[in-house]
Amino acid sequence: MAEPDLAAIPLPDRLDLSTAPDLAREILKHPADRNLVLDASRVSHLGTLGVQVLIAAARRSRAAGAGMEVKGLSGRAGTQLAALGLTLNTITEAEA
């Protein structure tokens, strides 16, 4: 059972233009002051709009005094993230 101050959201297999708006809406349903865990274990494609949603979610969480964690990112999606010059740490530690 999840802790009451924790919101967990599974990410789609493709996190890009086609799915980023839905993910953003899903994230906004959760109170910003709850820690956010994003399950990226199914993500096989990570586009720039998807990365922007992740950065915005991290900034929102930090501004509210909470944290965000991305778990289970695949090697392929990690490579796509690296091609953009980013890591999970640079995303989750994004300044508000």
Side-chain angles (χ1 to χ4, degrees):
M1 177 189 264
E3 298 174 20
D5 69 338
L6 181 71
I9 300 174
L11 299 180
D13 61 341
R14 291 186 62 86
L15 186 48
D16 57 13
L17 178 63
S18 65
T19 59
D22 290 338
L23 176 60
R25 282 190 288 276
E26 181 67 24
I27 289 169
L28 290 174
K29 289 179 186 178
H30 296 278
D33 62 349
R34 290 176 65 193
N35 291 323
L36 182 62
V37 175
L38 302 176
D39 177 1
S41 60
R42 291 182 18 207
V43 177
S44 62
H45 175 77
L46 186 58
T48 55
L49 190 55
V51 172
Q52 289 175 337
V53 170
L54 297 179
I55 291 170
R59 287 179 173 167
R60 178 178 181 257
S61 291
R62 286 177 57 98
M68 185 184 92
E69 181 179 359
V70 179
K71 289 188 173 184
L73 191 67
S74 73
R76 180 173 183 206
T79 299
Q80 293 168 340
L81 191 61
L84 297 171
L86 300 170
T87 66
L88 284 180
N89 285 341
T90 58
I91 289 176
T92 58
E93 296 174 6
E95 292 298 319

